[in-house]
Amino acid sequence: MNLPPRPQRLAPNRASMRSHAGLLFTIVIVAWGVNWPVSKALLAHVSPWWSAALRSVVGMATLFVICALTRRLVLPKRGDLPVIVSVGLLHMAVFSLLVALSLQYVQAGRSAVLAYTTPLWVMPAARLWLGEALTRRRVFGLACGLLGLAVMFNPAAFDWHDRHAVFGNALVLLAAFVWAVAIVHMRAHRWISGPFELSPWQLLLASVILCTIAFAVDGAPHIIGWAGFAGLLSYGGVIGGGIAYWLAGVVTRRLPAGVTSLGLLGVPVVGTLASASILRESLGLDVWIALALIVGGIALGTAPRTATPCRSDEAA
């Protein structure tokens, strides 16, 4: 089809933007996926209380620097304070701490799968609190995801007599529930500033909360093996934290929402593979079957019926 002169010049630029966005999105998925075994390995150097707190502090500092360099550092408006509190408290503080505590007892790959059941809990929560339709496809997707959980916790594959294992898995599932509540509130919130612009302030709140809890429970941080600790913390806070969050913000402005929501399902897949490779975790067939069911169920429940145009297209 022959395009008018101006769209002809724009078309290659759009294709180039999407190609670059696809590459950036791949980096985000890998960075967040590898973050799971890194978080697990970090516990060999510092307590889970300080692991969550220090990663939050480093991530916060990274985001403040990025926002300043990209001229996107803004003071939060009063209307955005509720979402700063909800996301900063529930997702960035409580979710991070629960996951860090759970990794003492749960393999990183298994934890990644359980944590990313969050969209399953968002579906019924959004129906109750936001009035979103619970379509047949969403119900079927939810059923697939719950079947995946049943596979992971069936008595033949999971030792229900191991109190530590039960406690650790319960912590991850609780973290997923907490994250779901934060997501539902984010959907209901009327944004004044953008999510990325608010993220350093949310991490600031989370850092204050997590450091206060860590000091109260664990005292001053006791670091074992500074070299390994510094490398893991740098990855978890800078690459898997601030930089990945920044790139995710870039990607969401350039790719359709449906693509990004489905693409993020690659994070638990990468997390599971990275944990098996880096930490030499032996993951049973039940975890892989559950991963396929949960990811497939989330894909069914969250995939849009029609493609959503990306913001760059709309702006053009």
Side-chain angles (χ1 to χ4, degrees), residues 106-110 157 272-288:
V106 184
Q107 290 181 322
R110 183 184 181 92
T272 303
L273 293 172
S275 299
S277 175
I278 297 173
L279 301 179
R280 299 290 187 268
E281 290 184 351
S282 178
L283 300 174
L285 181 61
D286 60 306
V287 175
W288 296 107

Side-chain angles (χ1 to χ4, degrees), residues 21 107 111 152 192 211 234 270 292:
Q107 290 181 322
S111 183
M152 291 190 76
I192 300 174
C211 287
S234 296
V270 173

Side-chain angles (χ1 to χ4, degrees), residues 25-47:
F25 197 23
T26 301
I27 294 174
V28 171
I29 292 170
V30 172
W32 278 343
V34 174
N35 215 20
W36 287 93
V38 167
S39 298
K40 176 81 170 180
L42 196 57
L43 297 183
H45 301 273
V46 69
S47 73

Side-chain angles (χ1 to χ4, degrees), residues 23-40 55 59 62-63 91-92 95-96 99 103 108-109 111-113 115-116 179 183 186 195-196 199 203 234-252 259-275 278:
L23 176 60
L24 294 178
F25 197 23
T26 301
I27 294 174
V28 171
I29 292 170
V30 172
W32 278 343
V34 174
N35 215 20
W36 287 93
V38 167
S39 298
K40 176 81 170 180
R55 282 189 291 113
T62 303
L63 278 177
H91 181 205
M92 296 183 174
F95 174 87
S96 298
V99 168
L103 285 173
S111 183
V113 175
Y116 272 82
W179 189 5
I183 289 174
M186 288 173 67
F196 177 74
S199 59
L203 271 174
S234 296
Y235 182 92
V238 178
I239 299 176
I243 292 178
Y245 202 100
W246 167 53
L247 293 179
V250 173
V251 167
T252 54
V259 173
T260 56
S261 62
L262 292 178
L264 288 175
L265 295 179
V267 175
V269 177
V270 173
T272 303
L273 293 172
S275 299
I278 297 173

Side-chain angles (χ1 to χ4, degrees), residues 156-233:
F158 183 77
D159 185 4
W160 283 93
H161 298 290
D162 186 342
R163 294 183 178 179
H164 285 166
V166 172
F167 180 64
N169 281 266
L171 288 178
V172 186
L173 287 175
L174 180 59
F177 289 138
V178 169
W179 189 5
V181 173
I183 289 174
V184 172
H185 183 249
M186 288 173 67
R187 288 186 182 179
H189 179 70
R190 294 185 178 181
W191 297 81
I192 300 174
S193 300
F196 177 74
E197 286 78 8
L198 296 181
S199 59
W201 301 101
Q202 292 163 342
L203 271 174
L204 174 60
L205 174 62
S207 298
V208 171
I209 294 172
L210 290 171
C211 287
T212 301
I213 294 174
F215 266 118
V217 174
D218 211 34
H222 177 63
I223 312 298
I224 301 174
W226 274 95
F229 167 77
L232 293 169
L233 182 62

Side-chain angles (χ1 to χ4, degrees), residues 2-190:
N2 294 326
L3 297 176
R6 186 170 180 270
Q8 279 183 334
R9 291 193 297 270
L10 287 175
N13 292 333
R14 289 179 181 176
S16 176
M17 286 177 61
R18 291 200 177 188
S19 176
H20 291 157
L23 176 60
L24 294 178
F25 197 23
T26 301
I27 294 174
V28 171
I29 292 170
V30 172
W32 278 343
V34 174
N35 215 20
W36 287 93
V38 167
S39 298
K40 176 81 170 180
L42 196 57
L43 297 183
H45 301 273
V46 69
S47 73
W49 307 94
W50 279 112
S51 172
L54 294 175
R55 282 189 291 113
S56 179
V57 170
V58 174
M60 173 201 66
T62 303
L63 278 177
F64 268 116
V65 170
I66 291 174
C67 284
L69 292 176
T70 56
R71 297 183 179 180
R72 296 177 65 185
L73 182 60
V74 299
L75 288 174
K77 308 296 183 183
R78 179 178 297 180
D80 280 329
L81 291 180
V83 80
I84 290 176
V85 173
S86 66
V87 175
L89 174 62
L90 297 177
H91 181 205
M92 296 183 174
V94 177
F95 174 87
S96 298
L97 182 57
L98 290 175
V99 168
L101 292 171
S102 74
L103 285 173
Q104 299 175 103
Y105 314 109
V106 184
Q107 290 181 322
R110 183 184 181 92
S111 183
V113 175
L114 292 176
Y116 272 82
T117 60
T118 294
L120 297 177
W121 317 125
V122 170
M123 293 181 209
R127 175 68 182 90
L128 290 173
W129 295 328
L130 302 181
E132 293 186 5
L134 199 58
T135 62
R136 290 183 180 180
R137 186 176 61 181
R138 289 182 177 179
V139 171
F140 184 66
L142 180 59
C144 284
L146 294 177
L147 179 60
L149 284 177
V151 170
M152 291 190 76
F153 290 103
N154 80 87
F158 183 77
D159 185 4
W160 283 93
H161 298 290
D162 186 342
R163 294 183 178 179
H164 285 166
V166 172
F167 180 64
N169 281 266
L171 288 178
V172 186
L173 287 175
L174 180 59
F177 289 138
V178 169
W179 189 5
V181 173
I183 289 174
V184 172
H185 183 249
M186 288 173 67
R187 288 186 182 179
H189 179 70
R190 294 185 178 181

